[in-house]
Amino acid sequence: ADFPGHWRSRLWARMGSYQHPYVKQVNRCATVAFSPTAPFIATGTMAGAIDLSFSTTACLEVFRLDYSNPSTDMPLAGGAVAANERFHRLVWGPLQTEGMPHGLIAGGLVDGSVNLYNPARIIGSPIGAEPSDGVSSGALVTKMQKHSGPVRGLEFNSFSPNLLASGAEDGELCIWDLARPAQPSLYPALKGGAGGQPTAGEVSYLAWNKKVQHILASSSLNGTTVVWDLKRQRPVISFTDPNSRRRCSAMQWNPEVATQLIVASDDDRSPSLQIWDLRNSISPAREFVGHSKGVLAMAWSQADPGLLLTCGKDNRTLCWDTAAGEVLAELPASSNWNFDVQWSSTTPGVLSTSSFDGRVGLYNLQRAGGIDAGPGTVDQYGVQQPGPKAPMKKAPAWMRRPCGATFGFGGQLVGFGVRPKGGAEEPAAAEKPSGTALTLMKVSTAVEAEVSAELEGAVSTGGSDALKTFCETKKSEATATAANEDEETWGFLGILFEEDARRELLKHLDFGEALVAKELAESEAEAEKARSAAEAE
């Protein structure tokens, strides 16, 4: 049917929202890097992919992320910067120096060079029809040429943001000091395997340890993973899969356990994820099985160390519960391979995927849900809709309540994740209270303090009269405020201080007639007993 223009646009928008539930998206075949401090995302043209126009150019672009805008479009934050070669890896470091308030972007290129960019010179720059060269605008800080093959390993050190590690086809690892980005210095290259054995093959991935500053790991396409100690300038351990020499495509350190890392392979014959513990590197400690074909990329969440993202050749992007080793959620399948997946550095739960179909998409993990719980349906427009999603079995850590409290009786307050003011805790505990320990506190208001002082005064005076007067005063106050329950309570307490409290209490409880009858019976019994004694005499 030939719909009017506005209806046709609304229809396609509706269909697009059904098929691609992106938070944001942009048509680029690119590897990405999130800004560590601001709502920006950088994209670099991916090597080994050709778009529909068969363009051979490469460029770096920075997009602005405005989550308050319901549109899925990501506007450019500035003009594109041309690159001499395409990118294999793109990272955005938090290193902030004079003139670089947004940190530093590093890109690993096909020709073995590592380019450094200043995003502050890109953001806000004029958006032209053609990418700028980056030199005249100052966006390209420097070009570091050391490797002789494609740079697939690239990462900033989280403890020392001025340190950048790079690895390429030649098997060498370079550690760059970017304290002066325009004039970077290079430490002696790391080369060779554990025990002095050479490591043939190109570096496919590298990552800094999340707990120990000087520990670095690299994986290669020949199946070997090497752990390096930068203090000793040599490898300390290396391992391979004992069952098959599978290619290593991606590798990540456990954010919580310093000796654990996970290695993935793009080999379709071995698509499992292997968790290795360096305390016993003979064989993997665990394996996660979920992909039916090779895994291309991984990302371990820093906001929740229990979540791991993977994407593979089976067009699936999975979110794993690393503690249970099972799939928590699955993103909608793409029409082609997703070759890159990243967590947002500033917004927990937001993640990006890069696909060979020429699209970079941002998702909200909370909308992804678990595995399909039922068959799909066809809507009124004839569009196939996915089936209902099962809820995630585990809530992400960023949704967990950091603290909570509830009132008890007598002004008691119990809470978790809180620290009472003036508490005698260790300094470490004072900075980050435990989320599982319970803290019991006493809460006193000004009114309660005044009542307590009046009661203590009545007790210190001594005698029942003072306490009886106190109860009568509180009863009168409750009567004036129409607090029937409090009036009854204070009246009942006042009876306890009467001279004959037992008699008055029975009368208050409507047992007065029974008490009179009992006393009359007792007096008659005593009189009868006295008459009997007199007659006996």
Side-chain angles (χ1 to χ4, degrees):
D2 187 15
F3 292 97
H6 66 285
W7 282 107
R8 185 163 55 246
S9 62
R10 291 175 63 181
L11 173 60
W12 281 110
R14 184 179 179 89
M15 294 171 65
S17 65
Y18 283 149
Q19 295 177 333
H20 304 292
Y22 300 110
V23 176
K24 300 290 179 182
Q25 64 173 329
V26 65
N27 291 326
R28 297 287 189 280
C29 187
T31 181
V32 306
F34 282 96
S35 168
T37 57
F40 296 104
I41 186 172
T43 64
T45 308
M46 182 62 185
I50 296 294
D51 59 15
L52 296 178
S53 64
F54 287 88
S55 173
T56 58
T57 60
C59 65
L60 173 73
E61 297 174 296
V62 177
F63 294 88
R64 192 180 305 275
L65 301 177
D66 183 7
Y67 298 114
S68 62
N69 189 341
S71 173
T72 59
D73 296 333
M74 292 192 297
L76 279 169
V81 178
N84 55 320
E85 293 288 348
R86 296 199 168 196
F87 295 84
H88 270 296
R89 197 77 64 195
L90 196 67
V91 291
W92 195 327
L95 178 64
Q96 295 181 349
T97 59
E98 185 178 357
M100 297 183 181
H102 294 292
L104 199 63
I105 298 177
L109 276 61
V110 174
D111 62 354
S113 60
V114 177
N115 287 1
L116 296 181
Y117 298 92
N118 181 3
R121 295 298 181 92
I122 302 176
I123 298 171
S125 63
I127 301 176
E130 296 294 333
S132 65
D133 59 1
V135 178
S136 58
S137 63
L140 179 61
V141 179
T142 187
K143 181 178 180 179
M144 302 182 296
Q145 188 73 48
K146 175 63 178 176
H147 299 288
S148 59
V151 179
R152 290 188 172 90
L154 196 66
E155 186 169 288
F156 283 95
N157 189 307
S158 58
F159 295 94
S160 300
N162 61 299
L163 296 182
L164 175 69
S166 63
E169 187 178 30
D170 51 16
E172 287 188 351
L173 296 184
C174 295
I175 309 299
W176 306 87
D177 187 352
L178 307 180
R180 299 173 63 187
Q183 298 176 343
S185 58
L186 178 63
Y187 289 94
L190 303 176
K191 198 169 186 179
Q197 299 298 321
T199 56
E202 60 183 301
V203 173
S204 60
Y205 205 91
L206 58 80
W208 293 95
N209 191 285
K210 306 304 180 184
K211 293 292 185 180
V212 185
Q213 179 179 358
H214 59 274
I215 297 298
L216 177 71
S218 64
S219 60
S220 59
L221 296 181
N222 68 354
T224 303
T225 301
V226 184
V227 179
W228 305 80
D229 186 348
L230 298 188
K231 285 187 175 180
R232 302 170 61 184
Q233 290 290 309
R234 61 184 297 269
V236 293
I237 193 172
S238 66
F239 56 85
T240 59
D241 187 350
N243 299 321
S244 62
R245 202 170 184 83
R246 66 181 204 161
R247 292 162 48 99
C248 297
S249 58
M251 177 261 302
Q252 293 280 310
W253 284 100
N254 189 325
E256 293 293 317
V257 183
T259 59
Q260 286 188 3
L261 50 80
I262 188 167
V263 180
S265 172
D266 59 2
D267 191 340
D268 293 346
R269 298 169 298 177
S270 180
S272 63
L273 311 177
Q274 294 183 344
I275 292 185
W276 292 81
D277 195 319
L278 303 183
R279 293 169 291 188
N280 180 13
S281 60
I282 299 176
S283 62
R286 301 171 62 192
E287 287 197 36
F288 296 166
V289 179
H291 288 280
S292 58
K293 293 185 179 181
V295 178
L296 298 177
M298 288 192 303
W300 210 317
S301 173
Q302 300 301 312
D304 184 350
L307 299 181
L308 176 75
L309 288 174
T310 60
C311 60
K313 297 179 183 178
D314 54 2
N315 298 354
R316 301 179 68 192
T317 302
L318 306 178
C319 181
W320 296 82
D321 178 0
T322 57
E326 61 183 12
V327 177
L328 274 182
E330 180 175 0
L331 271 62
S334 60
S335 58
N336 210 325
W337 298 353
N338 284 338
F339 58 84
D340 188 26
V341 62
Q342 301 286 340
W343 289 100
S344 171
S345 304
T346 57
T347 309
V350 173
L351 57 101
S352 71
T353 61
S354 301
S355 173
F356 279 120
D357 62 6
R359 180 179 285 109
V360 173
L362 271 63
Y363 294 87
N364 185 348
L365 181 63
Q366 296 171 218
R367 296 184 185 178
I371 306 300
D372 289 346
T377 59
V378 178
D379 66 6
Q380 57 182 332
Y381 301 105
V383 179
Q384 179 71 28
Q385 301 303 319
K389 292 285 187 179
M392 294 175 61
K393 296 182 180 179
K394 173 186 173 183
W398 56 82
M399 296 183 65
R400 195 173 301 143
R401 285 169 39 175
C403 61
T406 183
F407 280 100
F409 294 101
Q412 299 290 332
L413 180 68
V414 63
F416 67 91
V418 296
R419 179 173 55 89
K421 187 176 181 180
E425 279 122 345
E426 297 295 331
E431 294 178 2
K432 186 177 181 181
S434 171
T436 56
L438 297 180
T439 304
L440 188 63
M441 296 162 283
K442 175 69 176 178
V443 179
S444 299
T445 64
V447 175
E448 291 174 339
E450 182 181 353
V451 173
S452 177
E454 293 178 4
L455 178 59
E456 291 177 359
V459 172
S460 60
T461 301
S464 301
D465 293 339
L467 294 174
K468 179 181 177 182
T469 303
F470 175 79
C471 292
E472 290 177 351
T473 302
K474 305 308 295 182
K475 179 181 178 181
S476 301
E477 294 177 356
T479 303
T481 58
N484 298 330
E485 185 175 350
D486 290 348
E487 179 185 358
E488 181 68 21
T489 300
W490 287 112
F492 187 85
L493 291 174
I495 295 174
L496 300 179
F497 302 105
E498 296 284 352
E499 293 183 1
D500 192 352
R502 179 173 176 272
R503 174 185 292 275
E504 296 298 328
L505 182 60
L506 289 174
K507 289 182 179 180
H508 183 78
L509 297 176
D510 293 332
F511 288 108
E513 297 180 359
L515 179 62
V516 173
K518 181 179 179 182
E519 292 177 346
L520 180 60
E522 289 177 353
S523 62
E524 291 179 352
E526 291 178 358
E528 182 65 26
K529 185 177 179 180
R531 285 197 301 269
S532 298
E535 292 176 356
E537 294 177 356

